[in-house]
Amino acid sequence: MKTAMLLLLAYFLGSIPSGVWIGKIFFKKDIRDYGSGGTGTTNTFRILGKPAGFVVFAIDLLKGTLATSLPILFHLNVNPLWFGLVAVVGHTLPIFAGFKGGKAVATSAGMLLGYSPLFFFYSLVFFLIVLYITSMVSATSMLSAIFVTASTVVLPIIWPAILPEHNWLLTLICLVLTTYIIYRHRENLQRIKNGTESRVPFGLNKKES
Protein backbone atom coordinates (compact mmCIF):
# COMPACT_ATOMS: atom_id res chain seq x y z
CA MET A 1 0.00 0.00 0.00
CA LYS A 2 2.82 2.40 0.87
CA THR A 3 4.52 1.69 -2.46
CA ALA A 4 1.29 2.25 -4.38
CA MET A 5 0.63 5.56 -2.59
CA LEU A 6 4.13 6.81 -3.32
CA LEU A 7 3.88 5.79 -6.97
CA LEU A 8 0.65 7.80 -7.12
CA LEU A 9 2.48 10.71 -5.50
CA ALA A 10 5.23 10.39 -8.13
CA TYR A 11 2.59 10.63 -10.86
CA PHE A 12 1.03 13.72 -9.27
CA LEU A 13 4.46 15.33 -8.96
CA GLY A 14 5.13 14.67 -12.62
CA SER A 15 1.69 16.01 -13.53
CA ILE A 16 2.43 19.52 -12.25
CA PRO A 17 2.16 21.59 -15.47
CA SER A 18 4.63 24.26 -14.44
CA GLY A 19 4.69 26.03 -17.80
CA VAL A 20 0.88 26.24 -17.96
CA TRP A 21 0.47 27.43 -14.39
CA ILE A 22 3.27 30.01 -14.50
CA GLY A 23 1.95 31.35 -17.79
CA LYS A 24 -1.59 31.70 -16.47
CA ILE A 25 -0.70 33.08 -13.02
CA PHE A 26 2.06 35.54 -13.89
CA PHE A 27 1.54 36.33 -17.58
CA LYS A 28 -2.19 35.73 -18.09
CA LYS A 29 -1.30 33.46 -21.01
CA ASP A 30 -1.89 29.81 -21.73
CA ILE A 31 1.33 28.82 -23.49
CA ARG A 32 -0.53 25.98 -25.17
CA ASP A 33 -2.16 28.65 -27.35
CA TYR A 34 1.17 30.04 -28.56
CA GLY A 35 4.27 28.90 -30.41
CA SER A 36 4.55 25.13 -30.67
CA GLY A 37 1.72 24.67 -28.18
CA GLY A 38 4.10 22.78 -25.89
CA THR A 39 3.93 23.03 -22.12
CA GLY A 40 7.63 22.57 -21.43
CA THR A 41 10.81 24.57 -21.17
CA THR A 42 11.43 25.40 -24.84
CA ASN A 43 8.01 26.90 -25.54
CA THR A 44 8.10 28.72 -22.21
CA PHE A 45 11.39 30.36 -23.17
CA ARG A 46 9.93 31.48 -26.49
CA ILE A 47 6.60 32.74 -25.19
CA LEU A 48 7.25 33.91 -21.62
CA GLY A 49 10.97 34.72 -21.70
CA LYS A 50 14.18 33.48 -20.13
CA PRO A 51 13.34 33.87 -16.40
CA ALA A 52 10.12 31.90 -16.77
CA GLY A 53 11.88 29.35 -18.97
CA PHE A 54 14.56 28.70 -16.38
CA VAL A 55 11.97 28.37 -13.60
CA VAL A 56 9.93 25.87 -15.64
CA PHE A 57 13.06 23.89 -16.49
CA ALA A 58 14.07 23.77 -12.82
CA ILE A 59 10.62 22.64 -11.69
CA ASP A 60 10.30 19.99 -14.42
CA LEU A 61 13.79 18.71 -13.62
CA LEU A 62 13.15 18.57 -9.88
CA LYS A 63 9.84 16.76 -10.39
CA GLY A 64 11.79 13.81 -11.74
CA THR A 65 14.50 14.08 -9.09
CA LEU A 66 12.10 14.22 -6.16
CA ALA A 67 9.97 11.37 -7.49
CA THR A 68 13.05 9.19 -7.99
CA SER A 69 14.13 9.96 -4.43
CA LEU A 70 10.81 8.91 -2.85
CA PRO A 71 11.77 5.28 -2.07
CA ILE A 72 14.98 6.50 -0.44
CA LEU A 73 13.17 9.18 1.59
CA PHE A 74 10.52 6.69 2.75
CA HIS A 75 12.87 3.71 3.17
CA LEU A 76 11.33 1.47 0.52
CA ASN A 77 13.25 -1.42 -0.99
CA VAL A 78 12.05 -0.61 -4.51
CA ASN A 79 14.14 0.43 -7.52
CA PRO A 80 13.86 4.25 -7.59
CA LEU A 81 13.78 4.25 -11.39
CA TRP A 82 10.17 3.05 -11.30
CA PHE A 83 9.19 6.20 -9.44
CA GLY A 84 11.14 8.39 -11.86
CA LEU A 85 9.44 6.70 -14.80
CA VAL A 86 6.00 7.26 -13.28
CA ALA A 87 6.85 10.96 -12.85
CA VAL A 88 7.80 11.14 -16.53
CA VAL A 89 4.47 9.54 -17.42
CA GLY A 90 2.79 12.20 -15.28
CA HIS A 91 4.72 14.93 -17.08
CA THR A 92 3.67 13.67 -20.50
CA LEU A 93 0.09 12.77 -19.49
CA PRO A 94 -0.67 15.23 -16.68
CA ILE A 95 -3.99 14.89 -14.88
CA PHE A 96 -3.85 18.62 -14.07
CA ALA A 97 -3.64 19.67 -17.74
CA GLY A 98 -6.05 17.47 -19.63
CA PHE A 99 -3.47 14.68 -20.09
CA LYS A 100 -1.58 16.81 -22.63
CA GLY A 101 1.94 17.46 -21.39
CA GLY A 102 5.56 17.91 -22.35
CA LYS A 103 8.08 15.94 -24.34
CA ALA A 104 9.67 14.21 -21.33
CA VAL A 105 13.18 15.67 -21.67
CA ALA A 106 13.58 17.74 -18.48
CA THR A 107 11.75 15.31 -16.19
CA SER A 108 13.73 12.38 -17.62
CA ALA A 109 16.91 14.33 -16.84
CA GLY A 110 15.60 14.82 -13.32
CA MET A 111 15.14 11.08 -13.02
CA LEU A 112 18.82 10.63 -13.91
CA LEU A 113 19.81 13.27 -11.35
CA GLY A 114 17.88 11.43 -8.64
CA TYR A 115 19.31 8.07 -9.65
CA SER A 116 22.96 9.03 -10.22
CA PRO A 117 24.10 12.68 -9.96
CA LEU A 118 27.47 11.84 -11.53
CA PHE A 119 25.83 10.19 -14.54
CA PHE A 120 23.48 13.17 -14.82
CA PHE A 121 26.33 15.69 -14.98
CA TYR A 122 28.21 13.49 -17.45
CA SER A 123 25.09 13.54 -19.66
CA LEU A 124 24.62 17.28 -19.12
CA VAL A 125 28.11 17.98 -20.48
CA PHE A 126 27.23 16.11 -23.67
CA PHE A 127 23.92 18.00 -23.93
CA LEU A 128 25.60 21.41 -23.61
CA ILE A 129 28.31 20.56 -26.15
CA VAL A 130 25.77 19.38 -28.71
CA LEU A 131 23.53 22.39 -28.04
CA TYR A 132 26.49 24.71 -28.64
CA ILE A 133 27.28 22.95 -31.92
CA THR A 134 23.75 22.65 -33.29
CA SER A 135 21.96 25.59 -31.61
CA MET A 136 18.82 23.43 -31.73
CA VAL A 137 17.18 22.21 -28.52
CA SER A 138 15.17 19.59 -30.38
CA ALA A 139 18.15 17.96 -32.10
CA THR A 140 20.17 18.16 -28.90
CA SER A 141 17.40 16.49 -26.89
CA MET A 142 17.12 13.57 -29.32
CA LEU A 143 20.87 13.07 -29.69
CA SER A 144 21.35 13.29 -25.92
CA ALA A 145 18.65 10.67 -25.30
CA ILE A 146 20.39 8.29 -27.71
CA PHE A 147 23.76 9.06 -26.10
CA VAL A 148 22.44 8.42 -22.58
CA THR A 149 20.90 5.11 -23.58
CA ALA A 150 24.13 3.93 -25.22
CA SER A 151 26.13 5.14 -22.21
CA THR A 152 24.14 2.94 -19.82
CA VAL A 153 25.60 -0.04 -21.68
CA VAL A 154 29.10 1.22 -22.45
CA LEU A 155 30.09 3.22 -19.37
CA PRO A 156 30.24 0.31 -16.88
CA ILE A 157 32.81 -1.24 -19.20
CA ILE A 158 34.96 1.73 -20.19
CA TRP A 159 34.37 4.24 -17.38
CA PRO A 160 32.92 2.55 -14.28
CA ALA A 161 33.74 5.60 -12.16
CA ILE A 162 30.73 7.29 -13.76
CA LEU A 163 28.40 4.28 -13.83
CA PRO A 164 29.83 1.38 -11.81
CA GLU A 165 27.58 -1.44 -12.99
CA HIS A 166 25.02 -2.37 -15.60
CA ASN A 167 21.43 -1.69 -14.63
CA TRP A 168 19.33 -3.18 -17.37
CA LEU A 169 16.19 -1.53 -16.02
CA LEU A 170 17.94 1.82 -16.52
CA THR A 171 18.86 0.84 -20.07
CA LEU A 172 15.33 -0.33 -20.84
CA ILE A 173 13.72 2.82 -19.42
CA CYS A 174 16.18 5.03 -21.30
CA LEU A 175 15.46 3.12 -24.52
CA VAL A 176 11.70 3.56 -24.06
CA LEU A 177 12.08 7.25 -23.24
CA THR A 178 14.42 7.81 -26.18
CA THR A 179 11.87 6.28 -28.52
CA TYR A 180 9.16 8.46 -27.03
CA ILE A 181 11.28 11.64 -27.17
CA ILE A 182 12.08 11.07 -30.84
CA TYR A 183 8.41 10.37 -31.56
CA ARG A 184 7.33 13.59 -29.81
CA HIS A 185 9.92 15.50 -31.86
CA ARG A 186 8.76 14.14 -35.21
CA GLU A 187 7.56 17.59 -36.35
CA ASN A 188 10.90 19.05 -35.29
CA LEU A 189 12.65 16.40 -37.36
CA GLN A 190 10.72 17.53 -40.42
CA ARG A 191 11.64 21.17 -39.75
CA ILE A 192 15.29 20.20 -39.28
CA LYS A 193 15.14 18.42 -42.64
CA ASN A 194 13.57 21.52 -44.22
CA GLY A 195 16.06 23.86 -42.55
CA THR A 196 13.33 25.77 -40.70
CA GLU A 197 13.86 24.57 -37.13
CA SER A 198 14.16 27.30 -34.47
CA ARG A 199 17.58 27.89 -32.97
CA VAL A 200 18.80 29.27 -29.68
CA PRO A 201 20.70 32.57 -29.90
CA PHE A 202 24.10 31.14 -29.05
CA GLY A 203 26.48 28.46 -30.22
CA LEU A 204 28.30 27.83 -33.45
CA ASN A 205 25.18 28.32 -35.53
CA LYS A 206 23.27 31.34 -34.22
CA LYS A 207 21.13 32.03 -37.26
CA GLU A 208 17.43 32.22 -36.46
CA SER A 209 15.10 30.54 -38.92
Side-chain angles (χ1 to χ4, degrees):
M1 179 62 71
K2 186 177 182 181
T3 299
M5 293 298 293
L6 289 177
L7 285 170
L8 186 61
L9 176 59
Y11 171 77
F12 285 141
L13 283 171
S15 288
I16 295 172
S18 55
V20 176
W21 287 357
I22 287 173
K24 287 184 175 182
I25 293 170
F26 296 103
F27 297 88
K28 308 305 178 185
K29 288 182 177 180
D30 187 335
I31 62 170
R32 293 171 294 185
D33 297 332
Y34 301 88
S36 67
T39 63
T41 301
T42 304
N43 204 39
T44 303
F45 266 106
R46 291 174 185 153
I47 305 306
L48 305 181
K50 290 181 180 179
F54 281 118
V55 170
V56 168
F57 171 75
I59 293 173
D60 287 351
L61 179 81
L62 291 175
K63 291 189 307 187
T65 303
L66 180 57
T68 306
S69 303
L70 286 175
I72 299 170
L73 295 173
F74 288 90
H75 310 290
L76 287 179
N77 187 24
V78 181
N79 194 316
L81 290 170
W82 290 117
F83 293 82
L85 178 61
V86 169
V88 175
V89 171
H91 177 73
T92 57
L93 297 170
I95 193 172
F96 303 127
F99 300 100
K100 296 180 180 179
K103 295 180 178 178
V105 178
T107 307
S108 295
M111 179 186 69
L112 290 183
L113 178 58
Y115 175 73
S116 171
L118 195 57
F119 185 48
F120 165 79
F121 285 110
Y122 157 88
S123 304
L124 179 62
V125 169
F126 179 86
F127 181 93
L128 294 175
I129 291 172
V130 176
L131 182 61
Y132 179 75
I133 293 171
T134 66
S135 298
M136 291 184 288
V137 175
S138 57
T140 302
S141 298
M142 290 183 281
L143 290 171
S144 295
I146 294 169
F147 175 78
V148 167
T149 301
S151 293
T152 64
V153 177
V154 174
L155 276 183
I157 300 172
I158 66 171
W159 202 353
I162 300 293
L163 203 60
E165 59 185 7
H166 285 114
N167 184 328
W168 295 112
L169 178 60
L170 175 63
T171 301
L172 178 61
I173 288 175
C174 287
L175 181 60
V176 170
L177 291 178
T178 296
T179 303
Y180 180 77
I181 287 169
I182 293 173
Y183 170 76
R184 284 298 304 271
H185 284 86
R186 60 195 183 281
E187 293 180 1
N188 303 83
L189 282 169
Q190 187 61 48
R191 289 195 293 269
I192 292 171
K193 181 180 178 181
N194 296 338
T196 58
E197 177 68 339
S198 298
R199 299 178 185 272
V200 295
F202 58 84
L204 293 181
N205 192 338
K206 302 179 183 180
K207 182 180 179 181
E208 287 282 351
S209 34

